[in-house]
Amino acid sequence: MALSASSSAQQARQALADRLAELCRDADLTGRDLAEHCGWSRSKSSRIMNARTPPSAEDIRAWCRACGAEEQTADLIASLRTAEGLWVGWRRMERDGLKRAQEARLPLYERTRRFRAYSSWLVPGLIQTQPYTTAALHAIHKRRGLAVDDVAEAVAARMERQRVLREGNRRFAFLVEESVLRNGIGGAEVMAAQLAYLASIASLPHVSMGVVPMAADRERWPAEGFWLYDTAQVNVELISGYLTITQPGEIAMYAEAFAELAALAVYGASARTLITAAADALG
């Protein structure tokens, strides 16, 4: 699913490339002409126009000058930033620390009214306990070798963001794989408290808490973790980075996947039985 979902970013890059190619045509310039005006190799303008190489902001400024279309520079650079934002590697996203990455998502959470979250790795952030979040972010900080150690501040930012769970007229549907209940984040004591919290969350009237049981014959296999925000956006967390999906057709694909996984999940007493079994296994 992640490979096809990346077309959101590719389509944004292609749209920008098409606009730059159109400027060339309107100015009666060939790719070779434009390269000469800008002092580039002949292949560079071709790669940009065919969306094989993304332009930099300075490339766009030079392009617009060569085409006599400097009034379009700001708009095209804005399009570049949008395309860049659809796919963000973790190194770039977290270069200023984990706290800023947490805070950057808050406006999206505040304007969303219907949340759907599926996780095959971790308990979703909105329903994590503070010790579980601390253990998870410490692990991320260590694994990615981040220069800035602001785990405590990032934990506080995530905890503050959890207020959306209890504010406003919002609905939440959480799906986790049964393996998430048994992954041992933070050790037995942290996991026991987290599992107890999951059981309590499931009792909230505006929250649906589903667990997809481990089974030998399931037809819909686990997927990468993803969040659906209303019908406007999907975010996918991959090993290499953070993907934002805005194309309606791709959002629909994730909504369909969520519905299929939700149909496999158990809820209420059956979900609590799985949670309790995972807690009992901690010893």
Side-chain angles (χ1 to χ4, degrees):
M1 182 180 296
L3 290 176
S4 63
S6 66
S7 62
S8 274
Q10 180 58 36
Q11 287 183 30
R13 290 192 291 268
Q14 185 63 59
L16 175 59
D18 290 345
R19 290 180 66 187
L20 292 171
E22 185 178 358
L23 286 184
C24 258
R25 290 192 296 271
D26 290 346
D28 291 325
L29 295 176
T30 66
R32 179 181 297 183
D33 294 334
L34 187 130
E36 290 178 355
H37 278 291
C38 296
W40 299 337
S41 67
R42 295 177 182 178
S43 62
K44 178 172 179 175
S45 57
S46 175
R47 292 196 307 269
I48 291 175
M49 283 193 283
N50 288 287
R52 291 196 298 270
T53 298
S56 66
E58 189 52 46
D59 290 339
I60 289 175
R61 292 187 184 97
W63 196 293
C64 289
R65 282 196 301 269
C67 294
E70 292 178 277
E71 74 282 357
Q72 296 197 41
T73 301
D75 185 46
L76 289 168
I77 289 176
S79 296
L80 171 67
R81 299 297 183 230
T82 297
E84 289 176 335
L86 293 176
W87 168 256
V88 184
W90 292 121
R91 183 175 297 277
R92 176 182 160 204
M93 187 173 186
E94 297 168 349
R95 63 190 171 194
D96 295 321
L98 292 170
K99 178 187 177 184
R100 182 167 296 184
Q102 295 296 316
E103 292 175 334
R105 303 181 203 179
L106 182 57
L108 174 61
Y109 280 68
E110 290 178 329
R111 65 176 178 264
T112 300
R113 288 297 174 265
R114 183 189 181 196
F115 293 81
R116 286 167 287 176
Y118 164 78
S119 181
S120 55
W121 296 349
L122 299 171
V123 173
L126 276 182
I127 51 175
Q128 292 176 359
T129 63
Q130 184 168 336
Y132 185 99
T133 294
T134 300
L137 292 185
H138 267 302
I140 288 171
H141 182 273
K142 181 179 179 180
R143 184 170 68 249
R144 294 179 185 155
L146 301 178
V148 178
D149 185 358
D150 62 346
V151 169
E153 292 83 357
V155 170
R158 180 171 290 185
M159 293 298 103
E160 197 280 332
R161 194 171 67 197
Q162 288 184 356
R163 62 181 168 77
V164 302
L165 192 66
R166 301 180 186 277
E167 291 180 355
N169 184 26
R170 296 184 174 93
R171 292 179 294 150
F172 301 85
F174 299 104
L175 292 176
V176 298
E177 294 286 339
E178 184 180 353
S179 57
V180 169
L181 308 178
R182 299 174 177 271
N183 62 15
I185 298 295
E189 184 176 347
V190 169
M191 281 302 302
Q194 177 63 70
L195 292 171
Y197 185 59
L198 286 184
S200 68
I201 284 291
S203 66
L204 295 176
H206 60 295
V207 174
S208 170
M209 181 71 229
V211 180
V212 184
M214 293 184 289
D217 59 348
R218 61 186 280 182
E219 295 182 359
R220 183 66 171 84
W221 55 84
E224 67 273 12
F226 61 89
W227 286 77
L228 286 133
Y229 301 93
D230 294 322
T231 57
Q233 180 174 318
V234 176
N235 284 125
V236 187
E237 295 191 0
L238 303 174
I239 290 174
S240 55
Y242 191 73
L243 180 65
T244 298
I245 295 167
T246 57
Q247 293 293 324
E250 295 179 42
I251 293 173
M253 288 173 60
Y254 275 89
E256 181 180 356
F258 188 89
E260 292 173 356
L261 290 161
L264 297 177
V266 296
Y267 304 85
S270 296
R272 287 193 293 273
T273 295
L274 292 179
I275 293 171
T276 300
D280 291 342
L282 293 171

PDB file of all heavy atoms in Angstrom, residues 104-115 164 169-170 229-230 232-233 235 244:
ATOM      1  N   ALA A 104       4.031  20.044  15.632  1.00  0.00           N
ATOM      2  CA  ALA A 104       3.646  20.376  14.261  1.00  0.00           C
ATOM      3  C   ALA A 104       2.319  19.746  13.864  1.00  0.00           C
ATOM      4  O   ALA A 104       1.616  20.264  12.994  1.00  0.00           O
ATOM      5  CB  ALA A 104       4.742  19.926  13.297  1.00  0.00           C
ATOM      6  N   ARG A 105       1.950  18.641  14.501  1.00  0.00           N
ATOM      7  CA  ARG A 105       0.715  17.941  14.121  1.00  0.00           C
ATOM      8  C   ARG A 105      -0.518  18.451  14.859  1.00  0.00           C
ATOM      9  O   ARG A 105      -1.640  18.088  14.504  1.00  0.00           O
ATOM     10  CB  ARG A 105       0.865  16.441  14.376  1.00  0.00           C
ATOM     11  CG  ARG A 105       2.051  15.819  13.657  1.00  0.00           C
ATOM     12  CD  ARG A 105       2.130  14.326  13.926  1.00  0.00           C
ATOM     13  NE  ARG A 105       3.490  13.826  13.711  1.00  0.00           N
ATOM     14  CZ  ARG A 105       3.853  12.564  13.896  1.00  0.00           C
ATOM     15  NH1 ARG A 105       2.959  11.686  14.300  1.00  0.00           N
ATOM     16  NH2 ARG A 105       5.095  12.184  13.681  1.00  0.00           N
ATOM     17  N   LEU A 106      -0.326  19.271  15.883  1.00  0.00           N
ATOM     18  CA  LEU A 106      -1.453  19.687  16.717  1.00  0.00           C
ATOM     19  C   LEU A 106      -2.567  20.381  15.930  1.00  0.00           C
ATOM     20  O   LEU A 106      -3.749  20.067  16.134  1.00  0.00           O
ATOM     21  CB  LEU A 106      -0.962  20.583  17.854  1.00  0.00           C
ATOM     22  CG  LEU A 106      -2.042  21.054  18.834  1.00  0.00           C
ATOM     23  CD1 LEU A 106      -2.772  19.884  19.461  1.00  0.00           C
ATOM     24  CD2 LEU A 106      -1.422  21.939  19.921  1.00  0.00           C
ATOM     25  N   PRO A 107      -2.281  21.332  15.021  1.00  0.00           N
ATOM     26  CA  PRO A 107      -3.383  21.970  14.284  1.00  0.00           C
ATOM     27  C   PRO A 107      -4.244  20.976  13.506  1.00  0.00           C
ATOM     28  O   PRO A 107      -5.470  21.139  13.432  1.00  0.00           O
ATOM     29  CB  PRO A 107      -2.655  22.940  13.339  1.00  0.00           C
ATOM     30  CG  PRO A 107      -1.359  23.232  14.027  1.00  0.00           C
ATOM     31  CD  PRO A 107      -0.976  21.956  14.695  1.00  0.00           C
ATOM     32  N   LEU A 108      -3.619  19.951  12.947  1.00  0.00           N
ATOM     33  CA  LEU A 108      -4.379  18.928  12.226  1.00  0.00           C
ATOM     34  C   LEU A 108      -5.314  18.195  13.175  1.00  0.00           C
ATOM     35  O   LEU A 108      -6.488  17.961  12.845  1.00  0.00           O
ATOM     36  CB  LEU A 108      -3.412  17.946  11.560  1.00  0.00           C
ATOM     37  CG  LEU A 108      -4.027  16.726  10.872  1.00  0.00           C
ATOM     38  CD1 LEU A 108      -4.951  17.145   9.742  1.00  0.00           C
ATOM     39  CD2 LEU A 108      -2.928  15.797  10.362  1.00  0.00           C
ATOM     40  N   TYR A 109      -4.840  17.844  14.349  1.00  0.00           N
ATOM     41  CA  TYR A 109      -5.674  17.165  15.329  1.00  0.00           C
ATOM     42  C   TYR A 109      -6.833  18.057  15.771  1.00  0.00           C
ATOM     43  O   TYR A 109      -7.964  17.596  15.942  1.00  0.00           O
ATOM     44  CB  TYR A 109      -4.841  16.761  16.548  1.00  0.00           C
ATOM     45  CG  TYR A 109      -4.031  15.504  16.352  1.00  0.00           C
ATOM     46  CD1 TYR A 109      -2.954  15.474  15.471  1.00  0.00           C
ATOM     47  CD2 TYR A 109      -4.333  14.333  17.035  1.00  0.00           C
ATOM     48  CE1 TYR A 109      -2.203  14.327  15.285  1.00  0.00           C
ATOM     49  CE2 TYR A 109      -3.593  13.173  16.856  1.00  0.00           C
ATOM     50  CZ  TYR A 109      -2.532  13.183  15.974  1.00  0.00           C
ATOM     51  OH  TYR A 109      -1.799  12.040  15.790  1.00  0.00           O
ATOM     52  N   GLU A 110      -6.560  19.342  15.946  1.00  0.00           N
ATOM     53  CA  GLU A 110      -7.591  20.247  16.451  1.00  0.00           C
ATOM     54  C   GLU A 110      -8.718  20.463  15.449  1.00  0.00           C
ATOM     55  O   GLU A 110      -9.869  20.674  15.846  1.00  0.00           O
ATOM     56  CB  GLU A 110      -6.963  21.583  16.830  1.00  0.00           C
ATOM     57  CG  GLU A 110      -6.083  21.493  18.076  1.00  0.00           C
ATOM     58  CD  GLU A 110      -5.420  22.814  18.423  1.00  0.00           C
ATOM     59  OE1 GLU A 110      -5.121  23.609  17.498  1.00  0.00           O
ATOM     60  OE2 GLU A 110      -5.181  23.059  19.621  1.00  0.00           O
ATOM     61  N   ARG A 111      -8.421  20.419  14.151  1.00  0.00           N
ATOM     62  CA  ARG A 111      -9.485  20.672  13.172  1.00  0.00           C
ATOM     63  C   ARG A 111     -10.198  19.394  12.710  1.00  0.00           C
ATOM     64  O   ARG A 111     -11.178  19.467  11.980  1.00  0.00           O
ATOM     65  CB  ARG A 111      -8.922  21.408  11.959  1.00  0.00           C
ATOM     66  CG  ARG A 111      -7.904  20.658  11.128  1.00  0.00           C
ATOM     67  CD  ARG A 111      -7.518  21.481   9.906  1.00  0.00           C
ATOM     68  NE  ARG A 111      -6.506  20.843   9.084  1.00  0.00           N
ATOM     69  CZ  ARG A 111      -5.203  21.094   9.150  1.00  0.00           C
ATOM     70  NH1 ARG A 111      -4.751  21.994  10.020  1.00  0.00           N
ATOM     71  NH2 ARG A 111      -4.354  20.467   8.362  1.00  0.00           N
ATOM     72  N   THR A 112      -9.715  18.237  13.150  1.00  0.00           N
ATOM     73  CA  THR A 112     -10.322  16.977  12.754  1.00  0.00           C
ATOM     74  C   THR A 112     -11.460  16.618  13.698  1.00  0.00           C
ATOM     75  O   THR A 112     -11.372  16.815  14.904  1.00  0.00           O
ATOM     76  CB  THR A 112      -9.273  15.847  12.751  1.00  0.00           C
ATOM     77  OG1 THR A 112      -8.235  16.184  11.820  1.00  0.00           O
ATOM     78  CG2 THR A 112      -9.884  14.511  12.358  1.00  0.00           C
ATOM     79  N   ARG A 113     -12.538  16.082  13.131  1.00  0.00           N
ATOM     80  CA  ARG A 113     -13.686  15.669  13.926  1.00  0.00           C
ATOM     81  C   ARG A 113     -13.855  14.150  13.950  1.00  0.00           C
ATOM     82  O   ARG A 113     -14.413  13.594  14.876  1.00  0.00           O
ATOM     83  CB  ARG A 113     -14.972  16.328  13.392  1.00  0.00           C
ATOM     84  CG  ARG A 113     -15.035  17.821  13.697  1.00  0.00           C
ATOM     85  CD  ARG A 113     -15.071  18.058  15.198  1.00  0.00           C
ATOM     86  NE  ARG A 113     -14.996  19.469  15.591  1.00  0.00           N
ATOM     87  CZ  ARG A 113     -13.879  20.083  15.921  1.00  0.00           C
ATOM     88  NH1 ARG A 113     -12.738  19.424  15.892  1.00  0.00           N
ATOM     89  NH2 ARG A 113     -13.876  21.337  16.291  1.00  0.00           N
ATOM     90  N   ARG A 114     -13.364  13.473  12.933  1.00  0.00           N
ATOM     91  CA  ARG A 114     -13.451  12.012  12.906  1.00  0.00           C
ATOM     92  C   ARG A 114     -12.061  11.431  12.684  1.00  0.00           C
ATOM     93  O   ARG A 114     -11.456  11.651  11.641  1.00  0.00           O
ATOM     94  CB  ARG A 114     -14.394  11.531  11.800  1.00  0.00           C
ATOM     95  CG  ARG A 114     -14.583  10.016  11.782  1.00  0.00           C
ATOM     96  CD  ARG A 114     -15.336   9.558  10.552  1.00  0.00           C
ATOM     97  NE  ARG A 114     -15.529   8.119  10.565  1.00  0.00           N
ATOM     98  CZ  ARG A 114     -15.882   7.402   9.501  1.00  0.00           C
ATOM     99  NH1 ARG A 114     -16.086   8.006   8.322  1.00  0.00           N
ATOM    100  NH2 ARG A 114     -16.032   6.094   9.586  1.00  0.00           N
ATOM    101  N   PHE A 115     -11.573  10.724  13.696  1.00  0.00           N
ATOM    102  CA  PHE A 115     -10.262  10.096  13.634  1.00  0.00           C
ATOM    103  C   PHE A 115     -10.423   8.594  13.445  1.00  0.00           C
ATOM    104  O   PHE A 115     -11.231   7.959  14.122  1.00  0.00           O
ATOM    105  CB  PHE A 115      -9.490  10.313  14.942  1.00  0.00           C
ATOM    106  CG  PHE A 115      -9.090  11.720  15.232  1.00  0.00           C
ATOM    107  CD1 PHE A 115      -9.992  12.626  15.778  1.00  0.00           C
ATOM    108  CD2 PHE A 115      -7.790  12.155  15.004  1.00  0.00           C
ATOM    109  CE1 PHE A 115      -9.623  13.919  16.070  1.00  0.00           C
ATOM    110  CE2 PHE A 115      -7.409  13.454  15.297  1.00  0.00           C
ATOM    111  CZ  PHE A 115      -8.329  14.340  15.827  1.00  0.00           C
ATOM    112  N   VAL A 164      -7.492  16.483  22.838  1.00  0.00           N
ATOM    113  CA  VAL A 164      -8.509  16.422  21.790  1.00  0.00           C
ATOM    114  C   VAL A 164      -9.397  15.192  21.963  1.00  0.00           C
ATOM    115  O   VAL A 164     -10.514  15.149  21.446  1.00  0.00           O
ATOM    116  CB  VAL A 164      -7.890  16.424  20.376  1.00  0.00           C
ATOM    117  CG1 VAL A 164      -7.025  17.659  20.164  1.00  0.00           C
ATOM    118  CG2 VAL A 164      -7.101  15.153  20.097  1.00  0.00           C
ATOM    119  N   ASN A 169     -16.756  17.882  19.806  1.00  0.00           N
ATOM    120  CA  ASN A 169     -17.621  16.828  19.297  1.00  0.00           C
ATOM    121  C   ASN A 169     -16.840  15.973  18.305  1.00  0.00           C
ATOM    122  O   ASN A 169     -17.000  16.088  17.086  1.00  0.00           O
ATOM    123  CB  ASN A 169     -18.846  17.456  18.630  1.00  0.00           C
ATOM    124  CG  ASN A 169     -19.830  16.419  18.153  1.00  0.00           C
ATOM    125  OD1 ASN A 169     -19.891  15.308  18.689  1.00  0.00           O
ATOM    126  ND2 ASN A 169     -20.602  16.758  17.136  1.00  0.00           N
ATOM    127  N   ARG A 170     -15.983  15.113  18.840  1.00  0.00           N
ATOM    128  CA  ARG A 170     -15.119  14.298  17.999  1.00  0.00           C
ATOM    129  C   ARG A 170     -15.435  12.816  18.187  1.00  0.00           C
ATOM    130  O   ARG A 170     -15.883  12.391  19.255  1.00  0.00           O
ATOM    131  CB  ARG A 170     -13.640  14.548  18.318  1.00  0.00           C
ATOM    132  CG  ARG A 170     -13.157  15.960  18.035  1.00  0.00           C
ATOM    133  CD  ARG A 170     -11.661  16.071  18.298  1.00  0.00           C
ATOM    134  NE  ARG A 170     -11.135  17.372  17.897  1.00  0.00           N
ATOM    135  CZ  ARG A 170     -11.013  18.418  18.701  1.00  0.00           C
ATOM    136  NH1 ARG A 170     -11.384  18.330  19.970  1.00  0.00           N
ATOM    137  NH2 ARG A 170     -10.532  19.562  18.251  1.00  0.00           N
ATOM    138  N   TYR A 229      -7.763  11.388   8.854  1.00  0.00           N
ATOM    139  CA  TYR A 229      -8.293  12.602   9.482  1.00  0.00           C
ATOM    140  C   TYR A 229      -9.501  13.063   8.665  1.00  0.00           C
ATOM    141  O   TYR A 229      -9.341  13.603   7.563  1.00  0.00           O
ATOM    142  CB  TYR A 229      -7.221  13.686   9.524  1.00  0.00           C
ATOM    143  CG  TYR A 229      -5.983  13.272  10.289  1.00  0.00           C
ATOM    144  CD1 TYR A 229      -4.903  12.691   9.630  1.00  0.00           C
ATOM    145  CD2 TYR A 229      -5.891  13.449  11.667  1.00  0.00           C
ATOM    146  CE1 TYR A 229      -3.772  12.295  10.327  1.00  0.00           C
ATOM    147  CE2 TYR A 229      -4.757  13.056  12.369  1.00  0.00           C
ATOM    148  CZ  TYR A 229      -3.705  12.482  11.695  1.00  0.00           C
ATOM    149  OH  TYR A 229      -2.583  12.090  12.387  1.00  0.00           O
ATOM    150  N   ASP A 230     -10.702  12.838   9.211  1.00  0.00           N
ATOM    151  CA  ASP A 230     -11.933  13.063   8.442  1.00  0.00           C
ATOM    152  C   ASP A 230     -11.775  12.345   7.097  1.00  0.00           C
ATOM    153  O   ASP A 230     -11.335  11.199   7.059  1.00  0.00           O
ATOM    154  CB  ASP A 230     -12.218  14.561   8.289  1.00  0.00           C
ATOM    155  CG  ASP A 230     -12.537  15.223   9.630  1.00  0.00           C
ATOM    156  OD1 ASP A 230     -13.213  14.586  10.457  1.00  0.00           O
ATOM    157  OD2 ASP A 230     -12.097  16.363   9.850  1.00  0.00           O
ATOM    158  N   ALA A 232     -10.092  14.141   4.681  1.00  0.00           N
ATOM    159  CA  ALA A 232      -9.226  15.148   4.062  1.00  0.00           C
ATOM    160  C   ALA A 232      -7.793  14.685   3.887  1.00  0.00           C
ATOM    161  O   ALA A 232      -7.102  15.139   2.975  1.00  0.00           O
ATOM    162  CB  ALA A 232      -9.245  16.423   4.903  1.00  0.00           C
ATOM    163  N   GLN A 233      -7.317  13.782   4.749  1.00  0.00           N
ATOM    164  CA  GLN A 233      -5.887  13.491   4.757  1.00  0.00           C
ATOM    165  C   GLN A 233      -5.627  12.152   5.422  1.00  0.00           C
ATOM    166  O   GLN A 233      -6.345  11.731   6.329  1.00  0.00           O
ATOM    167  CB  GLN A 233      -5.158  14.597   5.524  1.00  0.00           C
ATOM    168  CG  GLN A 233      -3.652  14.451   5.631  1.00  0.00           C
ATOM    169  CD  GLN A 233      -3.008  15.673   6.271  1.00  0.00           C
ATOM    170  OE1 GLN A 233      -3.367  16.805   5.968  1.00  0.00           O
ATOM    171  NE2 GLN A 233      -2.060  15.448   7.166  1.00  0.00           N
ATOM    172  N   ASN A 235      -2.143  10.074   7.046  1.00  0.00           N
ATOM    173  CA  ASN A 235      -0.711  10.063   7.345  1.00  0.00           C
ATOM    174  C   ASN A 235      -0.277   8.629   7.619  1.00  0.00           C
ATOM    175  O   ASN A 235      -0.978   7.886   8.313  1.00  0.00           O
ATOM    176  CB  ASN A 235      -0.375  10.949   8.538  1.00  0.00           C
ATOM    177  CG  ASN A 235      -0.382  12.422   8.194  1.00  0.00           C
ATOM    178  OD1 ASN A 235      -1.066  13.217   8.818  1.00  0.00           O
ATOM    179  ND2 ASN A 235       0.375  12.811   7.178  1.00  0.00           N
ATOM    180  N   THR A 244       2.290  11.949   3.784  1.00  0.00           N
ATOM    181  CA  THR A 244       0.997  12.629   3.818  1.00  0.00           C
ATOM    182  C   THR A 244       0.281  12.380   2.500  1.00  0.00           C
ATOM    183  O   THR A 244       0.840  12.621   1.432  1.00  0.00           O
ATOM    184  CB  THR A 244       1.171  14.137   4.045  1.00  0.00           C
ATOM    185  OG1 THR A 244       1.790  14.351   5.324  1.00  0.00           O
ATOM    186  CG2 THR A 244      -0.181  14.852   4.039  1.00  0.00           C
TER     187      THR A 244
END
